[in-house]
PDB file of all heavy atoms in Angstrom:
ATOM      1  N   PRO R   1     -15.312  -0.325  -4.435  1.00  0.00           N
ATOM      2  CA  PRO R   1     -16.688  -0.800  -4.635  1.00  0.00           C
ATOM      3  C   PRO R   1     -16.818  -2.314  -4.708  1.00  0.00           C
ATOM      4  O   PRO R   1     -17.913  -2.850  -4.539  1.00  0.00           O
ATOM      5  CB  PRO R   1     -17.090  -0.141  -5.961  1.00  0.00           C
ATOM      6  CG  PRO R   1     -15.804   0.145  -6.666  1.00  0.00           C
ATOM      7  CD  PRO R   1     -14.822   0.467  -5.581  1.00  0.00           C
ATOM      8  N   ALA R   2     -15.713  -3.020  -4.959  1.00  0.00           N
ATOM      9  CA  ALA R   2     -15.783  -4.478  -5.037  1.00  0.00           C
ATOM     10  C   ALA R   2     -16.173  -5.054  -3.675  1.00  0.00           C
ATOM     11  O   ALA R   2     -15.728  -4.583  -2.632  1.00  0.00           O
ATOM     12  CB  ALA R   2     -14.447  -5.053  -5.481  1.00  0.00           C
ATOM     13  N   THR R   3     -17.014  -6.060  -3.693  1.00  0.00           N
ATOM     14  CA  THR R   3     -17.456  -6.686  -2.443  1.00  0.00           C
ATOM     15  C   THR R   3     -16.545  -7.833  -2.019  1.00  0.00           C
ATOM     16  O   THR R   3     -16.647  -8.310  -0.891  1.00  0.00           O
ATOM     17  CB  THR R   3     -18.883  -7.217  -2.588  1.00  0.00           C
ATOM     18  OG1 THR R   3     -18.936  -8.142  -3.689  1.00  0.00           O
ATOM     19  CG2 THR R   3     -19.858  -6.077  -2.846  1.00  0.00           C
ATOM     20  N   SER R   4     -15.665  -8.265  -2.905  1.00  0.00           N
ATOM     21  CA  SER R   4     -14.735  -9.330  -2.549  1.00  0.00           C
ATOM     22  C   SER R   4     -13.575  -9.316  -3.538  1.00  0.00           C
ATOM     23  O   SER R   4     -13.644  -8.696  -4.600  1.00  0.00           O
ATOM     24  CB  SER R   4     -15.431 -10.702  -2.581  1.00  0.00           C
ATOM     25  OG  SER R   4     -15.888 -11.000  -3.889  1.00  0.00           O
ATOM     26  N   GLY R   5     -12.497  -9.997  -3.154  1.00  0.00           N
ATOM     27  CA  GLY R   5     -11.354 -10.112  -4.041  1.00  0.00           C
ATOM     28  C   GLY R   5     -10.081  -9.566  -3.421  1.00  0.00           C
ATOM     29  O   GLY R   5     -10.080  -8.981  -2.336  1.00  0.00           O
ATOM     30  N   ARG R   6      -8.985  -9.758  -4.132  1.00  0.00           N
ATOM     31  CA  ARG R   6      -7.673  -9.323  -3.675  1.00  0.00           C
ATOM     32  C   ARG R   6      -7.399  -7.908  -4.169  1.00  0.00           C
ATOM     33  O   ARG R   6      -7.636  -7.595  -5.339  1.00  0.00           O
ATOM     34  CB  ARG R   6      -6.587 -10.281  -4.171  1.00  0.00           C
ATOM     35  CG  ARG R   6      -5.221 -10.022  -3.565  1.00  0.00           C
ATOM     36  CD  ARG R   6      -4.233 -11.088  -4.010  1.00  0.00           C
ATOM     37  NE  ARG R   6      -2.918 -10.888  -3.416  1.00  0.00           N
ATOM     38  CZ  ARG R   6      -2.550 -11.289  -2.213  1.00  0.00           C
ATOM     39  NH1 ARG R   6      -3.437 -11.941  -1.464  1.00  0.00           N
ATOM     40  NH2 ARG R   6      -1.346 -11.064  -1.748  1.00  0.00           N
ATOM     41  N   MET R   7      -6.895  -7.072  -3.306  1.00  0.00           N
ATOM     42  CA  MET R   7      -6.599  -5.679  -3.626  1.00  0.00           C
ATOM     43  C   MET R   7      -5.196  -5.350  -3.161  1.00  0.00           C
ATOM     44  O   MET R   7      -4.748  -5.846  -2.123  1.00  0.00           O
ATOM     45  CB  MET R   7      -7.607  -4.756  -2.933  1.00  0.00           C
ATOM     46  CG  MET R   7      -9.041  -5.079  -3.260  1.00  0.00           C
ATOM     47  SD  MET R   7     -10.185  -4.231  -2.147  1.00  0.00           S
ATOM     48  CE  MET R   7     -11.744  -4.934  -2.731  1.00  0.00           C
ATOM     49  N   SER R   8      -4.503  -4.495  -3.905  1.00  0.00           N
ATOM     50  CA  SER R   8      -3.125  -4.149  -3.565  1.00  0.00           C
ATOM     51  C   SER R   8      -2.890  -2.666  -3.783  1.00  0.00           C
ATOM     52  O   SER R   8      -3.428  -2.070  -4.719  1.00  0.00           O
ATOM     53  CB  SER R   8      -2.130  -4.960  -4.409  1.00  0.00           C
ATOM     54  OG  SER R   8      -2.272  -6.348  -4.173  1.00  0.00           O
ATOM     55  N   TRP R   9      -2.083  -2.094  -2.925  1.00  0.00           N
ATOM     56  CA  TRP R   9      -1.657  -0.700  -3.059  1.00  0.00           C
ATOM     57  C   TRP R   9      -0.185  -0.604  -2.691  1.00  0.00           C
ATOM     58  O   TRP R   9       0.323  -1.398  -1.894  1.00  0.00           O
ATOM     59  CB  TRP R   9      -2.450   0.205  -2.118  1.00  0.00           C
ATOM     60  CG  TRP R   9      -3.916   0.262  -2.380  1.00  0.00           C
ATOM     61  CD1 TRP R   9      -4.583   1.117  -3.203  1.00  0.00           C
ATOM     62  CD2 TRP R   9      -4.933  -0.582  -1.808  1.00  0.00           C
ATOM     63  NE1 TRP R   9      -5.930   0.872  -3.187  1.00  0.00           N
ATOM     64  CE2 TRP R   9      -6.174  -0.169  -2.331  1.00  0.00           C
ATOM     65  CE3 TRP R   9      -4.908  -1.635  -0.898  1.00  0.00           C
ATOM     66  CZ2 TRP R   9      -7.371  -0.777  -1.976  1.00  0.00           C
ATOM     67  CZ3 TRP R   9      -6.092  -2.256  -0.544  1.00  0.00           C
ATOM     68  CH2 TRP R   9      -7.309  -1.822  -1.079  1.00  0.00           C
ATOM     69  N   ILE R  10       0.496   0.383  -3.268  1.00  0.00           N
ATOM     70  CA  ILE R  10       1.870   0.715  -2.890  1.00  0.00           C
ATOM     71  C   ILE R  10       1.848   2.120  -2.311  1.00  0.00           C
ATOM     72  O   ILE R  10       1.317   3.046  -2.926  1.00  0.00           O
ATOM     73  CB  ILE R  10       2.829   0.633  -4.087  1.00  0.00           C
ATOM     74  CG1 ILE R  10       2.857  -0.794  -4.651  1.00  0.00           C
ATOM     75  CG2 ILE R  10       4.237   1.062  -3.668  1.00  0.00           C
ATOM     76  CD1 ILE R  10       3.671  -0.918  -5.927  1.00  0.00           C
ATOM     77  N   VAL R  11       2.427   2.270  -1.123  1.00  0.00           N
ATOM     78  CA  VAL R  11       2.429   3.545  -0.421  1.00  0.00           C
ATOM     79  C   VAL R  11       3.866   4.020  -0.243  1.00  0.00           C
ATOM     80  O   VAL R  11       4.739   3.259   0.203  1.00  0.00           O
ATOM     81  CB  VAL R  11       1.753   3.414   0.959  1.00  0.00           C
ATOM     82  CG1 VAL R  11       1.851   4.723   1.733  1.00  0.00           C
ATOM     83  CG2 VAL R  11       0.293   2.982   0.807  1.00  0.00           C
ATOM     84  N   ALA R  12       4.115   5.272  -0.594  1.00  0.00           N
ATOM     85  CA  ALA R  12       5.407   5.909  -0.333  1.00  0.00           C
ATOM     86  C   ALA R  12       5.306   6.715   0.945  1.00  0.00           C
ATOM     87  O   ALA R  12       4.288   7.361   1.218  1.00  0.00           O
ATOM     88  CB  ALA R  12       5.796   6.812  -1.501  1.00  0.00           C
ATOM     89  N   GLN R  13       6.362   6.704   1.742  1.00  0.00           N
ATOM     90  CA  GLN R  13       6.411   7.477   2.984  1.00  0.00           C
ATOM     91  C   GLN R  13       7.861   7.884   3.233  1.00  0.00           C
ATOM     92  O   GLN R  13       8.800   7.291   2.686  1.00  0.00           O
ATOM     93  CB  GLN R  13       5.869   6.665   4.166  1.00  0.00           C
ATOM     94  CG  GLN R  13       5.646   7.481   5.434  1.00  0.00           C
ATOM     95  CD  GLN R  13       5.128   6.641   6.600  1.00  0.00           C
ATOM     96  OE1 GLN R  13       4.631   5.526   6.415  1.00  0.00           O
ATOM     97  NE2 GLN R  13       5.251   7.151   7.803  1.00  0.00           N
ATOM     98  N   GLY R  14       8.066   8.880   4.051  1.00  0.00           N
ATOM     99  CA  GLY R  14       9.411   9.294   4.416  1.00  0.00           C
ATOM    100  C   GLY R  14      10.131  10.139   3.389  1.00  0.00           C
ATOM    101  O   GLY R  14      11.281  10.527   3.600  1.00  0.00           O
ATOM    102  N   VAL R  15       9.475  10.441   2.275  1.00  0.00           N
ATOM    103  CA  VAL R  15      10.125  11.186   1.186  1.00  0.00           C
ATOM    104  C   VAL R  15      10.552  12.568   1.670  1.00  0.00           C
ATOM    105  O   VAL R  15      11.680  13.020   1.405  1.00  0.00           O
ATOM    106  CB  VAL R  15       9.175  11.289  -0.021  1.00  0.00           C
ATOM    107  CG1 VAL R  15       9.798  12.143  -1.120  1.00  0.00           C
ATOM    108  CG2 VAL R  15       8.827   9.898  -0.547  1.00  0.00           C
ATOM    109  N   GLU R  16       9.661  13.235   2.377  1.00  0.00           N
ATOM    110  CA  GLU R  16       9.948  14.598   2.838  1.00  0.00           C
ATOM    111  C   GLU R  16      11.078  14.627   3.873  1.00  0.00           C
ATOM    112  O   GLU R  16      11.698  15.677   4.086  1.00  0.00           O
ATOM    113  CB  GLU R  16       8.685  15.222   3.439  1.00  0.00           C
ATOM    114  CG  GLU R  16       7.544  15.424   2.445  1.00  0.00           C
ATOM    115  CD  GLU R  16       6.755  14.147   2.160  1.00  0.00           C
ATOM    116  OE1 GLU R  16       7.033  13.106   2.822  1.00  0.00           O
ATOM    117  OE2 GLU R  16       5.879  14.177   1.287  1.00  0.00           O
ATOM    118  N   MET R  17      11.352  13.496   4.501  1.00  0.00           N
ATOM    119  CA  MET R  17      12.402  13.404   5.515  1.00  0.00           C
ATOM    120  C   MET R  17      13.742  12.987   4.923  1.00  0.00           C
ATOM    121  O   MET R  17      14.735  12.875   5.648  1.00  0.00           O
ATOM    122  CB  MET R  17      11.995  12.395   6.597  1.00  0.00           C
ATOM    123  CG  MET R  17      10.691  12.690   7.295  1.00  0.00           C
ATOM    124  SD  MET R  17      10.251  11.388   8.463  1.00  0.00           S
ATOM    125  CE  MET R  17      11.532  11.568   9.705  1.00  0.00           C
ATOM    126  N   GLY R  18      13.770  12.703   3.617  1.00  0.00           N
ATOM    127  CA  GLY R  18      14.982  12.195   3.004  1.00  0.00           C
ATOM    128  C   GLY R  18      15.243  10.732   3.304  1.00  0.00           C
ATOM    129  O   GLY R  18      16.365  10.246   3.145  1.00  0.00           O
ATOM    130  N   ARG R  19      14.200   9.998   3.718  1.00  0.00           N
ATOM    131  CA  ARG R  19      14.320   8.564   3.996  1.00  0.00           C
ATOM    132  C   ARG R  19      13.183   7.846   3.281  1.00  0.00           C
ATOM    133  O   ARG R  19      12.277   7.288   3.900  1.00  0.00           O
ATOM    134  CB  ARG R  19      14.275   8.285   5.504  1.00  0.00           C
ATOM    135  CG  ARG R  19      15.398   8.925   6.296  1.00  0.00           C
ATOM    136  CD  ARG R  19      15.546   8.274   7.649  1.00  0.00           C
ATOM    137  NE  ARG R  19      16.014   6.900   7.533  1.00  0.00           N
ATOM    138  CZ  ARG R  19      17.267   6.510   7.786  1.00  0.00           C
ATOM    139  NH1 ARG R  19      18.177   7.389   8.136  1.00  0.00           N
ATOM    140  NH2 ARG R  19      17.604   5.239   7.680  1.00  0.00           N
ATOM    141  N   ALA R  20      13.240   7.870   1.961  1.00  0.00           N
ATOM    142  CA  ALA R  20      12.162   7.317   1.151  1.00  0.00           C
ATOM    143  C   ALA R  20      11.914   5.854   1.496  1.00  0.00           C
ATOM    144  O   ALA R  20      12.836   5.044   1.579  1.00  0.00           O
ATOM    145  CB  ALA R  20      12.496   7.458  -0.324  1.00  0.00           C
ATOM    146  N   SER R  21      10.644   5.528   1.704  1.00  0.00           N
ATOM    147  CA  SER R  21      10.227   4.182   2.080  1.00  0.00           C
ATOM    148  C   SER R  21       9.100   3.733   1.167  1.00  0.00           C
ATOM    149  O   SER R  21       8.361   4.541   0.611  1.00  0.00           O
ATOM    150  CB  SER R  21       9.740   4.167   3.544  1.00  0.00           C
ATOM    151  OG  SER R  21      10.714   4.696   4.409  1.00  0.00           O
ATOM    152  N   ARG R  22       8.974   2.418   1.043  1.00  0.00           N
ATOM    153  CA  ARG R  22       7.950   1.829   0.171  1.00  0.00           C
ATOM    154  C   ARG R  22       7.250   0.720   0.950  1.00  0.00           C
ATOM    155  O   ARG R  22       7.885  -0.217   1.425  1.00  0.00           O
ATOM    156  CB  ARG R  22       8.608   1.277  -1.092  1.00  0.00           C
ATOM    157  CG  ARG R  22       7.680   0.588  -2.075  1.00  0.00           C
ATOM    158  CD  ARG R  22       8.526  -0.037  -3.170  1.00  0.00           C
ATOM    159  NE  ARG R  22       7.728  -0.822  -4.107  1.00  0.00           N
ATOM    160  CZ  ARG R  22       7.392  -0.409  -5.320  1.00  0.00           C
ATOM    161  NH1 ARG R  22       7.768   0.790  -5.731  1.00  0.00           N
ATOM    162  NH2 ARG R  22       6.687  -1.184  -6.129  1.00  0.00           N
ATOM    163  N   LEU R  23       5.931   0.856   1.094  1.00  0.00           N
ATOM    164  CA  LEU R  23       5.148  -0.122   1.835  1.00  0.00           C
ATOM    165  C   LEU R  23       4.122  -0.753   0.903  1.00  0.00           C
ATOM    166  O   LEU R  23       3.364  -0.040   0.231  1.00  0.00           O
ATOM    167  CB  LEU R  23       4.433   0.544   3.022  1.00  0.00           C
ATOM    168  CG  LEU R  23       5.338   1.193   4.084  1.00  0.00           C
ATOM    169  CD1 LEU R  23       5.589   2.656   3.738  1.00  0.00           C
ATOM    170  CD2 LEU R  23       4.714   1.092   5.460  1.00  0.00           C
ATOM    171  N   ASN R  24       4.100  -2.076   0.847  1.00  0.00           N
ATOM    172  CA  ASN R  24       3.147  -2.812   0.018  1.00  0.00           C
ATOM    173  C   ASN R  24       1.994  -3.290   0.891  1.00  0.00           C
ATOM    174  O   ASN R  24       2.220  -3.938   1.926  1.00  0.00           O
ATOM    175  CB  ASN R  24       3.815  -4.015  -0.642  1.00  0.00           C
ATOM    176  CG  ASN R  24       4.844  -3.609  -1.693  1.00  0.00           C
ATOM    177  OD1 ASN R  24       5.698  -2.783  -1.416  1.00  0.00           O
ATOM    178  ND2 ASN R  24       4.771  -4.179  -2.856  1.00  0.00           N
ATOM    179  N   ILE R  25       0.777  -2.987   0.468  1.00  0.00           N
ATOM    180  CA  ILE R  25      -0.429  -3.393   1.202  1.00  0.00           C
ATOM    181  C   ILE R  25      -1.228  -4.354   0.328  1.00  0.00           C
ATOM    182  O   ILE R  25      -1.558  -4.028  -0.816  1.00  0.00           O
ATOM    183  CB  ILE R  25      -1.310  -2.179   1.548  1.00  0.00           C
ATOM    184  CG1 ILE R  25      -0.542  -1.180   2.423  1.00  0.00           C
ATOM    185  CG2 ILE R  25      -2.597  -2.626   2.248  1.00  0.00           C
ATOM    186  CD1 ILE R  25      -1.305   0.106   2.690  1.00  0.00           C
ATOM    187  N   ASP R  26      -1.510  -5.528   0.848  1.00  0.00           N
ATOM    188  CA  ASP R  26      -2.348  -6.519   0.157  1.00  0.00           C
ATOM    189  C   ASP R  26      -3.529  -6.854   1.053  1.00  0.00           C
ATOM    190  O   ASP R  26      -3.356  -7.118   2.248  1.00  0.00           O
ATOM    191  CB  ASP R  26      -1.563  -7.794  -0.158  1.00  0.00           C
ATOM    192  CG  ASP R  26      -0.437  -7.558  -1.143  1.00  0.00           C
ATOM    193  OD1 ASP R  26      -0.700  -6.987  -2.219  1.00  0.00           O
ATOM    194  OD2 ASP R  26       0.716  -7.930  -0.845  1.00  0.00           O
ATOM    195  N   VAL R  27      -4.717  -6.867   0.455  1.00  0.00           N
ATOM    196  CA  VAL R  27      -5.953  -7.133   1.199  1.00  0.00           C
ATOM    197  C   VAL R  27      -6.751  -8.210   0.472  1.00  0.00           C
ATOM    198  O   VAL R  27      -6.869  -8.189  -0.759  1.00  0.00           O
ATOM    199  CB  VAL R  27      -6.796  -5.855   1.312  1.00  0.00           C
ATOM    200  CG1 VAL R  27      -8.160  -6.157   1.923  1.00  0.00           C
ATOM    201  CG2 VAL R  27      -6.087  -4.790   2.128  1.00  0.00           C
ATOM    202  N   GLU R  28      -7.305  -9.132   1.243  1.00  0.00           N
ATOM    203  CA  GLU R  28      -8.295 -10.071   0.727  1.00  0.00           C
ATOM    204  C   GLU R  28      -9.624  -9.630   1.313  1.00  0.00           C
ATOM    205  O   GLU R  28      -9.871  -9.810   2.510  1.00  0.00           O
ATOM    206  CB  GLU R  28      -7.958 -11.507   1.128  1.00  0.00           C
ATOM    207  CG  GLU R  28      -8.836 -12.562   0.468  1.00  0.00           C
ATOM    208  CD  GLU R  28      -8.572 -12.695  -1.025  1.00  0.00           C
ATOM    209  OE1 GLU R  28      -7.408 -12.579  -1.439  1.00  0.00           O
ATOM    210  OE2 GLU R  28      -9.545 -12.915  -1.772  1.00  0.00           O
ATOM    211  N   LYS R  29     -10.475  -9.032   0.485  1.00  0.00           N
ATOM    212  CA  LYS R  29     -11.717  -8.451   0.978  1.00  0.00           C
ATOM    213  C   LYS R  29     -12.872  -9.435   0.837  1.00  0.00           C
ATOM    214  O   LYS R  29     -13.094 -10.005  -0.224  1.00  0.00           O
ATOM    215  CB  LYS R  29     -12.050  -7.161   0.201  1.00  0.00           C
ATOM    216  CG  LYS R  29     -13.309  -6.438   0.676  1.00  0.00           C
ATOM    217  CD  LYS R  29     -13.509  -5.143  -0.093  1.00  0.00           C
ATOM    218  CE  LYS R  29     -14.755  -4.405   0.349  1.00  0.00           C
ATOM    219  NZ  LYS R  29     -14.943  -3.140  -0.396  1.00  0.00           N
TER     220      LYS R  29
END
């Protein structure tokens, strides 16, 4: 809902494949 500002998320992927991965997402909205 924020109309501006810095936002961050951490995403896990590859867990089900036995190759756990971690992706960091940073956004300046």
Side-chain angles (χ1 to χ4, degrees):
T3 57
S4 62
R6 189 175 181 83
M7 304 167 184
S8 299
W9 297 271
I10 299 174
V11 176
Q13 191 181 343
V15 176
E16 296 79 5
M17 303 176 67
R19 298 198 67 104
S21 306
R22 178 187 175 103
L23 299 91
N24 292 50
I25 300 174
D26 295 308
V27 173
E28 188 69 37
K29 182 177 180 180

